[in-house]
Amino acid sequence: MSSSLTFAYYPGCSGQGTSIEYDKSTRAVCKALGIELVDIPDWSCCGSSPAHTVDHILSAALSARNILQAEDMDVQGIITPCPSCLTNLKVASHRMRDEQFKEKVDDLLNEPCRNDLPIMSVLQVIYEKLGPKALAAKVTNPLKGLKLAPYYGCIMNRPPEVMDFDDCENPVAMDHLMEAVGAEVMPFPLKVECCGASFGVARNDVVTKLSGKLLDVAADCGAAAMVTACPLCQMNLDMRQDQINRANKSSHKMAVFYYTQLIGKALGLSDASLMLDKLCVDPGHLFREIETARTADAV
Amino acid sequence: MKIGVFVCHCGSNIAGTVNVGSVAEEALKLPSVAFASDTMYACSEPGQDAIIEAIKEHRLDGVVVASCSPRMHEPTFRKTVERAGLNRYMFEMANIREHVSWIGKDKDANTRKAVDLVAMAVAKLTQDRELTPKTFDINKRVLVIGGGVAGIQAALDCADGGLEVVLVEKTSSIGGKMSKLDKTFPTVDCSSCILGPKMVDVAQHPNITLYASSEVADVKGYVGNFNVSINRKATYVDWAACTGCGLCMEKCPSKKSRDVFNEEIGTTTAINIPFPQAIPKKASIDPEFCLKLTKGKCGVCEKVCPTNAIRFEQKQETAEEAVGAIITATGYDLFDYTRYEEYGGGRYADVITSLQYERLLSASGPTGGHIKRPSDGKEPKDVVFIQCVGSRDKSVDRPYCSGFCCMYTAKQAILTKDHLPESQSYVFYMDIRAPGKLYDEFTRRAMEEYGTKYIRGRVAMVYPKGDKYIVRGADTLMGAQVEVEADLVVLAVGAEAAKGAPQLAEKLRISYDAYGFYMESHPKLRPVETNTAGVFLAGSCQGPKDIPTSVGQGSAAAAKVLALFSKDQLESDPQVSVVDIKRCVGCGKCIQTCPFGAIEEMDFRGMPKANVIETICQGCGICTSTCPQGAIQLQHFTDNQILAEVNAICQQTPAQNLK
């Protein structure tokens, strides 16, 4: 194996568009942390939500194709930043442990899938393979005083028997990583509540209600910003924040980061490499406050 | 040898999938079988009479009954043949119910297998020898493990029956979970008022020796003659000198010690008497919090103690007791309320367990019986009770119903209204399970007279909002999601096996289930017996139970011990190992492998030989398979007897001819 932390990287479709800043910051952070990402050659869409609502075999085959593509790579496993892609990959792998199911999936592939590579989120790799301590040691610009509500979304840890990572009701991985980069993690209770997910298009009122509640409670907890690990959560909370404010007559101006952006910031990576300018709610003032406090401390 | 074979229909249990008539016909073709018939219920009175009649009429030497598992009815039929004048060991049972009729539907195949099993039993019976049990003296003292209400009842009943009782309690006072309760359902009478006098009776009974702060370390021996080692933990106080005046508690400067009795609602002093009615009312020191024992400085209690009872140098001691029977009443523990992360138990100060709430309600509790929130000491207005926390939930490996939570939740809702008339209680429940005398009426009272709002559904999550908590759940009757703002959330935690229950079971050589609850000998007919002779069960160690049932079982176990001790001698089981002195070469391998220490070396005309101590041998047979000479044989399961069975099944049998 080439290096101790080399993984086949599955960027996912949203990483090419709506959450390009998640993809870019993930790559930048992994590079800085010595985690080598090798893109799965010729990867394809995981099927997202539509595939598995129509056909489990087809849905599994879409993910299995990507797993197959990674099987000849010299890597320790497949990782992806997106919880939805992760769910599809892991559920496919989980279901293929059933021989009969796997046969049907293999029929749809060019060659049978070995299905023996571990599949993890980037978050799990940073948390378990590197760890908060090792991360803290690399921090150059601690995010001192930044009050964060950590929001994991509903599918990162669920169902627990498939996802097999952290607690499914009260996950703490991102909390510990954020503490490691110097931020202050608020006791945000709705860590795994649903944001409304893709209802943003079909039933906007559902998202304004559910995501609105997340913002309300985050603000009540004293958080100045939220930190997420999911492109859809981030989009609902950030891009739709104006819609939410309009619907609920609220006035949130809550920056919503990807956790990779904040780790990158603490590691001293450039704003450009983290694409902070892609966020809809401008987080600039938060970093200026940290900077001001740091200069004051220095004097 | 003339053998009689009786094939039981067991109603349709066996006859439904086994052709019992042809099993009897085939049996009659076996050599040595002089009589065979099928019978509707072999265990019934006419069934047994028919066996006796056949023995007499055909002058049978032995009987095979092909019916159910020997677990239940082997003793029955042994008595039957004995009544007909045969030795009780000239009887064999072929299990054609559990091993045949209940597990297969192919009648032909079942019938063939039944014939095989009968042939095996007949073959063994031809090799069986008459055995005669010996008798031995019994020690009419009883050990009761656990001083909760079940153990207290068992100890008092045994003691009143004239037996000497040794009562061992792990904590520093007897009383168990019941002593922590404020009131009891469905009468709402004061728990300590009804339990207290019983506890005092234990302390004052001349027949009861109480070991508090003690645990059973080891159990050796057998029914009638157990030897028990008891670890007496260091309490750092000489209990013979301590008068229980409580002066040490007033002066102890280490006031942040863990208050186990009050379920850690609040703290106590390092030296403490857990509660005012404690029995024995003696102080003990928690070494984790005592300044003298942790830092070497302090010793205030030593200075103020009027009887000089403090012993900082005290060490654990071991006591030995000889008893003839053991009643296990080790109770239960509560489900760990922090395991449901979505309820926030352990993270949110005002999400507490039902037993913690009980301590808040109790006049002798940390708040003097005033309901105050642990976080800010304010009186709650809206109290939400969540039922089935750690009950009926496969996802936390607790699929069973704890039985008493519905009732104590109703009681707590009623008491909440009594304490705080302005309050409103909500109960999230799955089903109301109240199948006891006056139980359902009681839960209805909580709803109808006390205005408790019962919401049928599970709670999805609890989270703080300001100084309140949002309890979100489903109302499955309305088909809607509901949110209740609560000041206090009480989790109705379920019961699980007491910590250390499996370890104690190993010492007692009794079985326990997957959850650590002890197994009774028969779920219906032997509820307080175990499969180890002389060891009995009472209360929640067998499975969650409320107070009336626990007390009932305490008395039941005591009755069993009194019946056992009504004889001066017991019969020993003759199914033990016997050494053929001519064959034994004195290698000692059997001595090494015997798990019970039942084999000793003896001198036989200057040569070492193995000798079995019959009363200790449990008849496991390990020695027989160890002996290189085949010199040690388990009676009723000798090599010849087992080989006869093997030969019977390996030979061309009538079963194969049936095809």
Side-chain angles (χ1 to χ4, degrees):
Chain A
M1 237 167 252
S2 45
S3 94
S4 62
L5 290 174
T6 304
F7 292 93
Y9 182 67
Y10 181 78
C13 305
S14 52
Q16 310 297 294
T18 52
S19 70
I20 191 165
E21 67 273 37
Y22 193 17
D23 179 58
K24 285 284 178 297
S25 58
T26 298
R27 290 174 190 271
V29 163
C30 285
K31 193 173 173 203
L33 294 176
I35 300 168
E36 197 185 330
L37 304 181
V38 187
D39 280 28
I40 295 178
D42 192 29
W43 61 271
S44 50
C45 172
C46 70
S48 192
S49 307
H52 65 79
T53 52
V54 174
D55 186 345
H56 286 171
I57 307 275
L58 174 65
S59 170
L62 288 169
S63 285
R65 181 184 175 275
N66 291 313
I67 296 172
L68 185 62
Q69 295 291 99
E71 283 183 346
D72 288 332
M73 296 167 72
D74 181 19
V75 291
Q76 293 184 309
I78 302 172
I79 66 174
T80 180
C82 170
S84 182
C85 302
L86 180 72
T87 304
N88 277 327
L89 286 164
K90 290 198 82 139
V91 167
S93 170
H94 183 79
R95 288 204 172 121
M96 282 194 292
R97 278 183 220 156
D98 177 273
E99 280 303 320
Q100 285 184 325
F101 186 90
K102 186 170 180 297
E103 254 174 49
K104 291 180 192 160
V105 173
D106 282 341
D107 281 349
L108 297 175
L109 302 174
N110 285 341
E111 52 185 303
C113 173
R114 286 204 313 268
N115 193 28
D116 57 2
L117 276 177
I119 299 163
M120 282 173 282
S121 63
V122 177
L123 178 66
Q124 185 175 0
V125 168
I126 297 178
Y127 185 65
E128 288 180 354
K129 306 276 175 194
L130 198 71
K133 256 194 198 153
L135 174 62
K138 297 194 176 194
V139 168
T140 53
N141 303 332
L143 307 176
K144 216 174 152 195
L146 179 60
K147 294 183 173 172
L148 292 173
Y151 176 57
Y152 294 74
C154 53
I155 59 168
M156 177 69 100
N157 309 88
R158 291 160 164 175
E161 60 273 20
V162 176
M163 303 310 274
D164 195 24
F165 170 54
D166 213 343
D167 190 277
C168 69
E169 294 291 346
N170 181 32
V172 292
M174 204 155 61
D175 295 39
H176 291 159
L177 293 182
M178 289 301 105
E179 279 162 2
V181 298
E184 191 180 339
V185 176
M186 310 313 285
F188 180 61
L190 305 185
K191 286 174 174 179
V192 291
E193 284 297 284
C194 178
C195 66
S198 47
F199 271 128
V201 181
R203 283 279 306 275
N204 194 258
D205 59 312
V206 171
V207 169
T208 54
K209 185 180 167 203
L210 295 179
S211 284
K213 186 169 195 170
L214 295 172
L215 290 166
D216 291 347
V217 172
D220 280 351
C221 289
M226 292 180 77
V227 56
T228 68
C230 169
L232 195 50
C233 300
Q234 198 277 344
M235 184 166 78
N236 279 340
L237 291 166
D238 182 40
M239 191 189 84
R240 297 190 190 279
Q241 207 169 102
D242 280 345
Q243 297 174 357
I244 292 166
N245 280 335
R246 260 202 309 283
N248 300 349
K249 299 192 173 58
S250 55
S251 55
H252 293 296
K253 274 196 177 144
M254 178 83 68
V256 186
F257 295 103
Y258 288 105
Y259 76 98
T260 44
Q261 290 179 305
L262 291 179
I263 292 178
K265 197 71 188 164
L267 295 176
L269 305 182
S270 71
D271 287 4
S273 69
L274 304 172
M275 295 183 109
L276 284 166
D277 59 336
K278 284 275 180 188
L279 300 181
C280 297
V281 178
D282 179 16
H285 67 286
L286 296 170
F287 297 119
R288 284 194 292 278
E289 279 163 26
I290 296 170
E291 201 48 47
T292 315
R294 190 182 297 147
T295 341
D297 278 355
V299 177
Chain B
M1 189 173 185
K2 294 169 85 176
I3 290 173
V5 175
F6 300 85
V7 186
C8 183
H9 292 234
C10 196
S12 61
N13 276 307
I14 295 170
T17 54
V18 174
N19 189 341
V20 284
S22 62
V23 174
E25 275 170 34
E26 289 305 316
L28 199 52
K29 295 177 191 163
L30 291 166
S32 345
V33 174
F35 176 80
S37 79
D38 55 298
T39 164
M40 196 57 168
Y41 289 103
C43 59
S44 67
E45 201 182 4
Q48 293 190 44
D49 287 347
I51 294 173
I52 292 172
E53 211 173 292
I55 291 173
K56 289 183 175 156
E57 191 186 329
H58 300 277
R59 303 211 177 146
L60 301 176
D61 303 308
V63 165
V64 169
V65 173
S67 58
C68 49
S69 153
R71 168 102 252 145
M72 181 84 192
H73 279 313
E74 190 174 63
T76 311
F77 294 121
R78 277 183 177 169
K79 274 187 212 148
T80 310
V81 300
E82 208 164 40
R83 273 192 289 150
L86 296 183
N87 181 278
R88 74 173 84 147
Y89 291 96
M90 296 310 286
F91 167 77
E92 287 295 331
M93 222 163 158
N95 183 357
I96 61 166
R97 192 178 71 179
E98 283 87 342
H99 287 178
V100 181
S101 71
W102 276 355
I103 53 170
K105 286 195 176 127
D106 181 340
K107 200 162 183 173
D108 288 341
N110 280 357
T111 306
R112 285 198 298 277
K113 185 175 173 189
V115 171
D116 278 347
L117 293 182
V118 169
M120 285 170 73
V122 168
K124 176 163 187 290
L125 186 53
T126 59
Q127 300 295 316
D128 279 351
R129 296 289 170 268
E130 295 190 351
L131 297 174
T132 314
K134 293 182 179 160
T135 56
F136 60 91
D137 291 333
I138 54 175
N139 181 341
K140 293 187 181 179
R141 300 176 85 226
V142 56
L143 169 75
V144 178
I145 311 173
V149 69
I152 288 173
Q153 186 67 37
L156 286 174
D157 284 356
C158 286
D160 286 344
L163 303 180
E164 268 185 56
V165 179
V166 178
L167 176 58
V168 175
E169 165 57 39
K170 178 167 65 172
T171 66
S172 65
S173 169
I174 58 169
K177 296 283 187 299
M178 187 178 170
S179 64
K180 300 187 179 194
L181 305 181
D182 177 39
K183 301 280 194 316
T184 57
F185 60 76
T187 42
V188 200
D189 44 1
C190 159
S191 186
S192 52
C193 310
I194 56 175
L195 181 66
K198 278 189 180 289
M199 291 166 62
V200 175
D201 287 349
V202 168
Q204 294 179 345
H205 207 295
N207 285 353
I208 299 178
T209 310
L210 172 60
Y211 290 94
S213 282
S214 301
E215 288 187 76
V216 169
D218 193 25
V219 180
K220 288 209 160 63
Y222 50 93
V223 58
N225 292 286
F226 290 107
N227 289 306
V228 184
S229 307
I230 299 164
N231 276 347
R232 310 186 68 179
K233 292 180 261 187
T235 57
Y236 307 98
V237 177
D238 178 359
W239 280 4
C242 176
T243 59
C245 69
L247 202 57
C248 51
M249 277 182 84
E250 280 173 35
K251 304 290 181 190
C252 176
S254 176
K255 296 194 191 302
K256 297 263 186 215
S257 307
R258 193 182 304 122
D259 193 347
V260 179
F261 183 78
N262 281 319
E263 292 288 309
E264 302 192 35
I265 288 271
T267 54
T268 184
T269 45
I271 186 165
N272 69 74
I273 301 168
F275 56 107
Q277 301 92 334
I279 296 286
K281 199 171 182 195
K282 307 286 179 190
S284 40
I285 294 176
D286 185 339
E288 251 184 79
F289 293 91
C290 172
L291 297 175
K292 178 79 175 180
L293 292 170
T294 53
K295 300 203 172 86
K297 285 184 281 201
C298 185
V300 170
C301 50
E302 198 173 19
K303 289 185 197 103
V304 300
C305 178
T307 58
N308 297 318
I310 310 297
R311 302 278 184 277
F312 289 118
E313 68 294 343
Q314 200 180 68
K315 297 268 181 297
Q316 174 172 296
E317 289 169 15
T318 308
E320 302 289 336
E321 289 284 356
V323 297
I326 298 172
I327 296 175
T328 313
T330 45
Y332 67 98
D333 270 317
L334 292 176
F335 179 80
D336 175 7
Y337 77 131
T338 63
R339 280 184 61 191
Y340 285 86
E341 290 278 0
E342 59 269 44
Y343 298 160
R347 273 185 292 138
Y348 306 141
D350 300 320
V351 178
I352 61 174
T353 69
S354 44
L355 199 54
Q356 289 177 325
Y357 193 57
E358 226 32 82
R359 296 314 300 151
L360 290 182
L361 292 166
S362 169
S364 61
T367 55
H370 299 290
I371 306 175
K372 292 174 178 172
R373 306 208 310 171
S375 64
D376 53 12
K378 283 189 194 151
E379 280 185 357
K381 197 188 152 293
D382 296 305
V383 182
V384 172
F385 296 89
I386 304 176
Q387 291 200 173
C388 300
V389 177
S391 298
R392 303 180 66 193
D393 188 348
K394 274 196 274 187
S395 74
V396 292
D397 194 29
R398 295 288 177 268
Y400 54 84
C401 171
S402 295
F404 45 54
C405 319
C406 287
M407 289 303 294
Y408 75 60
T409 300
K411 175 197 74 183
Q412 291 182 340
I414 287 175
L415 293 175
T416 305
K417 195 75 174 174
D418 279 342
H419 282 245
L420 306 168
E422 301 300 312
S423 69
Q424 175 64 55
S425 292
Y426 301 83
V427 177
F428 281 90
Y429 71 101
M430 290 211 259
D431 299 288
I432 303 289
R433 299 200 160 170
K437 194 171 176 181
L438 294 178
Y439 280 18
D440 204 59
E441 296 92 316
F442 184 73
T443 58
R444 294 228 73 97
R445 237 167 76 206
M447 295 173 215
E448 290 159 9
E449 286 175 40
Y450 287 82
T452 308
K453 289 191 176 147
Y454 272 72
I455 304 162
R456 188 179 188 274
R458 292 293 277 168
V459 169
M461 78 180 302
V462 178
Y463 65 94
K465 190 181 178 196
D467 68 345
K468 290 200 157 229
Y469 296 85
I470 305 293
V471 180
R472 183 156 91 230
D475 185 331
T476 56
L477 297 181
M478 282 211 307
Q481 207 180 55
V482 288
E483 286 192 353
V484 180
E485 278 198 10
D487 299 297
L488 184 67
V489 179
V490 180
L491 305 179
V493 281
E496 55 187 32
K499 280 167 201 77
Q503 289 77 2
L504 180 64
E506 306 282 348
K507 288 172 192 159
L508 294 167
R509 297 190 299 273
I510 59 175
S511 328
Y512 51 96
D513 67 17
Y515 307 104
F517 289 115
Y518 296 156
M519 299 282 279
E520 66 283 8
S521 190
H522 188 281
K524 283 110 187 164
L525 302 178
R526 291 165 66 84
V528 296
E529 292 96 321
T530 67
N531 286 334
T532 300
V535 180
F536 302 91
L537 304 175
S540 289
C541 61
Q542 181 264 349
K545 271 170 207 69
D546 61 6
I547 294 167
T549 315
S550 298
V551 172
Q553 283 212 326
S555 288
K560 288 288 165 190
V561 172
L562 286 162
L564 178 73
F565 287 177
S566 65
K567 305 178 200 89
D568 294 323
Q569 290 195 313
L570 290 178
E571 280 188 347
S572 65
D573 189 340
Q575 298 175 97
V576 293
S577 288
V578 169
V579 179
D580 181 349
I581 211 98
K582 299 187 293 298
R583 280 193 173 185
C584 177
V585 294
C587 68
K589 280 185 178 151
C590 54
I591 300 171
Q592 286 166 6
T593 52
C594 177
F596 304 101
I599 308 176
E600 59 184 6
E601 192 183 291
M602 66 158 185
D603 180 77
F604 181 77
R605 296 178 189 166
M607 284 178 294
K609 298 280 179 186
N611 182 45
V612 177
I613 307 163
E614 282 182 24
T615 45
I616 300 179
C617 176
Q618 301 287 311
C620 70
I622 292 177
C623 55
T624 62
S625 53
T626 309
C627 179
Q629 302 296 316
I632 193 161
Q633 291 285 316
L634 180 59
Q635 297 306 293
H636 210 55
F637 295 94
T638 63
D639 289 351
N640 285 347
Q641 289 163 352
I642 290 169
L643 282 171
E645 288 186 288
V646 175
N647 283 338
I649 197 159
C650 293
Q651 277 166 6
Q652 186 75 16
T653 65
Q656 282 145 325
N657 299 335
L658 268 186
K659 276 179 213 169

